[in-house]
Amino acid sequence: MRQMPRLSLDVPAIEVTDLRKQYGSVEALAGLSMSVGRGEVFGFLGPNGAGKTTTVKLLLGLARPTSGSGRVLDAPIGDLATRRKIGYLPELFRYQPWLKAREVLELHGRLIGLGSDRRRAEADAALGLVGLEDRADDVVGKFSKGMQQRLGLGVALLGEPALIILDEPTSALDPLGRVDVRSIVRTAAARGAAVFLNSHLLSEVEQVCDRVAIIDHGRVVASGPLDDVLGQSETQVRVTGLKPTDLPAIEPFGTPLLANDLLSIRPMGPDRVHELVALLVRMGVQVHEVRSGRGSLEQRFIELIARDRSMSGTPSAEKAVIQ
Amino acid sequence: MIAVARLTIGETARKRILWVLIGLALAAVALTAWGVTLLISAAQDAHASDLQIKLGVSQVLIFIAFQFGFVLAMTAAFLGSPAISADLESGIAQAMLARPLRRSSYLLGRWLGLSIVVVLYAALSGLLAIAAVSFVSGYLPPDPILPVVYLAGQALILLTFTIVLSTRLPPIAGGAIAVVAWGMAWLAGVLGHIGIAIGTTGLVGVRDLARILLPTDTLWQGVVFGLEPSVVINAIGQQQLAQGNPFFATEPPGIAYVAWAAVWVVLALILAIVLLRRREL
């Protein structure tokens, strides 16, 4: 894999404030504010219709905000020249089906202003990054969906962009392809590029992102480093024979909460589980099951969306579709 | 813009549209030459005069030009109507416009590429047909380039019209509207001829209005005039009945109308750019 130069980390790659977008009577974005640093892999999550694609379109200048402001790579959002430094893999990855894979990359190389001497080399390098070097001279129309998505990823990586926006980058890939994408994303971030990752695969976001933002109804409901968003670690013990008066004895482990036969202690990681179980047994409590750790991003995501919707009065919070 | 124009020309070549058009043009030229040969042979058997033969051949050329004009209109409409809309529907355009590519450059590039294809097709087919007829009949229009230029201009106007529609309408709708509009503009021209023949200014007004809205009929008049032998125009041009014939023109289109046709293309492109720029992608 090629070594890529580090880029300046001084200015955020993306900074938007109170971004709003109205489509007729529909408010797609209702005051979105967020910041993405250079060299950061940023996960952008939300249910269907939350405003993720609208945000991406505004960042790329494909749509204009109704109000609010933002800067991308230290230029106003939508700035034409800045798009030279942005790589984009759309959710609907479609490229001219009558072109060969290398020609698609050369075309995009031309559009971002690569000289004719560099275009071919950059196209071949991108094909190598996404594992399509053997299919460089095949017509895109004959590619499988997975191969087309790989090509789209190559297009997004062309010319070492300072910001890479990936919209569902693994939706058509097999598990091996997903591993490749994680590696590519990490490599790009290591050279200083910011990666804005829009994915419905929460486990994937967990594995690769430094920070996440969860949006619903066009605004951020939670954001920050993954550890903060996921919340504190928790240990849950299913017990019989534990009385509320016994709880003070458990407080050295964390704050205990007893609901029916479920004892929850926060914050408490798995490292002291054996001590807790020993204490409970000494207290004459029967221990049936112990679970310890942090909630998954998926659990946290559903919790946050449910809480946001109950606060805003939107029904069917539990049915929020994860995207 | 140039990159998009080159891409568009490449697209017509890769999709074999260009080669099909060239093949059709050559077939049409061969059939025309064969048909004119048969016509001349029949006329000579009937002891027709040279003037009569010349008139007959020029009328055949005009009919062929009309048919070819229709084919060109269809070609322009069906090349132009998906030019923007299909790319937007598939997402191909969004991937390109996320690059430092202005929407105006993208649109003008698509227009330029297709214009080159359509004009080359018109020029190749038109000039070859005139050359073939000249070869078999000896009749060469006074200025053989002029009718081809008018024919290409007509196709260019329709192509521009379909590209305007393509910024907002799906491909099939845009193509259908463009062909119908072309047919109505031609029909308005016929009404204008009838109006002149029977002395009704209202019908002439309809034609003039149509020529402002979609100036294809203006250029059709140029095609007809350019294909006629000057001796025929001099002999029967001033007869009112001749002026009523939609396949006969006593004079070339007025300079103001031709200038308007050029301005119309520019204005239509500006409108297309505005419509595309205002569209949310």
Side-chain angles (χ1 to χ4, degrees), chain B residues 54-127:
Chain B
K54 206 174 250 188
L55 176 65
V57 170
S58 72
Q59 280 293 292
V60 167
L61 254 183
I62 289 168
F63 279 124
I64 290 167
F66 177 70
Q67 292 296 325
F68 181 53
F70 177 71
V71 171
L72 257 183
M74 296 282 281
T75 305
F78 289 105
L79 282 179
S81 57
I84 307 293
S85 55
D87 275 10
L88 288 174
E89 279 176 14
S90 67
I92 288 174
Q94 284 86 336
M96 291 180 73
L97 291 170
R99 298 300 192 183
L101 173 68
R102 290 182 194 281
R103 292 188 191 187
S104 54
S105 301
Y106 166 72
L107 185 132
L108 291 175
R110 294 294 270 163
W111 175 82
L112 181 63
L114 291 175
S115 294
I116 289 170
V117 170
V118 166
V119 167
L120 281 178
Y121 173 50
L124 177 78
S125 304
L127 289 174

Side-chain angles (χ1 to χ4, degrees), chain B residues 128-212:
Chain B
L128 274 179
I130 289 172
V133 168
S134 168
F135 180 73
V136 296
S137 73
Y139 171 66
L140 189 67
D143 184 353
I145 305 290
L146 200 63
V148 176
V149 170
Y150 280 123
L151 208 55
Q154 204 183 7
L156 214 55
I157 285 173
L158 209 66
L159 175 72
T160 310
F161 182 51
T162 53
I163 284 185
V164 174
L165 298 175
S166 182
T167 59
R168 292 292 166 135
L169 295 177
I172 292 175
I177 290 171
V179 171
V180 169
W182 175 82
M184 287 175 71
W186 183 79
L187 201 62
V190 173
L191 290 176
H193 279 284
I194 294 170
I196 291 171
I198 62 173
T200 308
T201 52
L203 289 178
V204 180
V206 169
R207 181 199 65 181
D208 292 346
L209 179 65
R211 284 182 171 186
I212 290 169

Side-chain angles (χ1 to χ4, degrees), chain A residues 39 41 181-191 195 207-210:
Chain A
V41 183
V181 170
R182 285 202 289 272
S183 161
I184 288 167
V185 165
R186 276 284 160 218
T187 307
R191 73 165 167 86
V195 182
Q207 289 181 61
V208 79
C209 291
D210 303 310

Side-chain angles (χ1 to χ4, degrees), chain A residues 39-301:
Chain A
E40 183 174 55
V41 183
F42 188 82
F44 197 56
L45 310 166
N48 287 337
K52 300 189 301 299
T53 302
T54 301
T55 306
V56 168
K57 285 179 177 176
L58 294 183
L59 294 175
L60 289 164
L62 293 175
R64 277 179 284 274
T66 308
S67 67
S69 62
R71 296 185 75 77
V72 173
L73 301 175
D74 208 20
I77 52 171
D79 180 66
L80 196 73
T82 306
R83 292 186 215 167
R84 198 181 302 276
K85 296 179 276 184
I86 303 175
Y88 171 48
L89 168 66
E91 186 181 8
L92 267 177
F93 43 91
R94 281 292 303 274
Y95 301 93
Q96 287 78 0
W98 44 273
L99 283 181
K100 296 171 182 171
R102 183 185 282 122
E103 290 172 333
V104 169
L105 287 156
E106 286 178 346
L107 168 68
H108 281 262
R110 183 191 291 267
L111 292 177
I112 60 172
L114 291 179
S116 53
D117 52 330
R118 279 185 61 201
R119 233 176 275 150
R120 173 81 180 228
E122 290 281 346
D124 286 343
L127 286 167
L129 276 174
V130 298
L132 283 178
E133 58 270 59
D134 297 337
R135 307 298 299 266
D137 293 315
D138 288 353
V139 172
V140 174
K142 292 182 179 167
F143 277 15
S144 67
K145 277 186 92 174
M147 285 164 64
Q148 289 198 34
Q149 195 162 35
R150 280 178 180 270
L151 175 65
L153 192 61
V155 170
L157 295 168
L158 198 69
E160 298 184 350
L163 170 63
I164 302 168
I165 297 177
L166 305 176
D167 201 347
E168 306 287 1
T170 59
S171 59
L173 296 183
D174 56 26
L176 285 176
R178 289 177 182 171
V179 172
D180 286 350
V181 170
R182 285 202 289 272
S183 161
I184 288 167
V185 165
R186 276 284 160 218
T187 307
R191 73 165 167 86
V195 182
F196 188 87
L197 180 67
N198 191 355
S199 174
H200 72 287
L201 294 173
L202 300 181
S203 58
E204 187 171 278
V205 171
E206 266 184 299
Q207 289 181 61
V208 79
C209 291
D210 303 310
R211 286 200 311 133
V212 296
I214 296 174
I215 71 163
D216 191 28
H217 291 113
R219 60 196 163 73
V220 174
V221 295
S223 72
L226 200 56
D227 289 345
D228 291 359
V229 172
L230 287 175
Q232 296 170 324
S233 56
E234 183 182 40
T235 297
Q236 292 182 326
V237 190
R238 199 164 292 284
V239 292
T240 47
L242 184 68
K243 299 184 287 293
T245 50
D246 296 333
L247 291 182
I250 299 168
E251 279 174 1
F253 293 92
T255 307
L257 182 73
L258 184 63
N260 299 323
D261 61 347
L262 188 67
L263 169 69
S264 303
I265 305 162
R266 271 190 181 182
M268 184 189 161
D271 48 331
R272 296 187 67 195
V273 164
H274 64 286
E275 293 177 44
L276 175 69
V277 172
L279 174 67
L280 290 170
V281 169
R282 279 201 304 275
M283 290 162 69
V285 174
Q286 289 182 310
V287 176
H288 304 286
E289 183 187 0
V290 180
R291 276 186 295 176
S292 185
R294 228 169 31 176
S296 70
L297 183 57
E298 188 165 320
Q299 283 173 323
R300 186 71 181 134
F301 176 84

Side-chain angles (χ1 to χ4, degrees), chain B residues 6-86:
Chain B
R6 284 177 59 175
L7 181 75
T8 304
I9 294 170
E11 181 180 3
T12 58
R14 287 275 176 92
K15 288 183 173 171
R16 301 194 185 111
I17 296 168
L18 200 59
W19 313 121
V20 168
L21 289 179
I22 289 172
L24 283 173
L26 293 175
V29 167
L31 281 170
T32 302
W34 180 57
V36 170
T37 308
L38 291 179
L39 178 79
I40 292 170
S41 158
Q44 282 170 342
D45 288 348
H47 306 292
S49 68
D50 279 356
L51 181 63
Q52 284 172 316
I53 291 176
K54 206 174 250 188
L55 176 65
V57 170
S58 72
Q59 280 293 292
V60 167
L61 254 183
I62 289 168
F63 279 124
I64 290 167
F66 177 70
Q67 292 296 325
F68 181 53
F70 177 71
V71 171
L72 257 183
M74 296 282 281
T75 305
F78 289 105
L79 282 179
S81 57
I84 307 293
S85 55

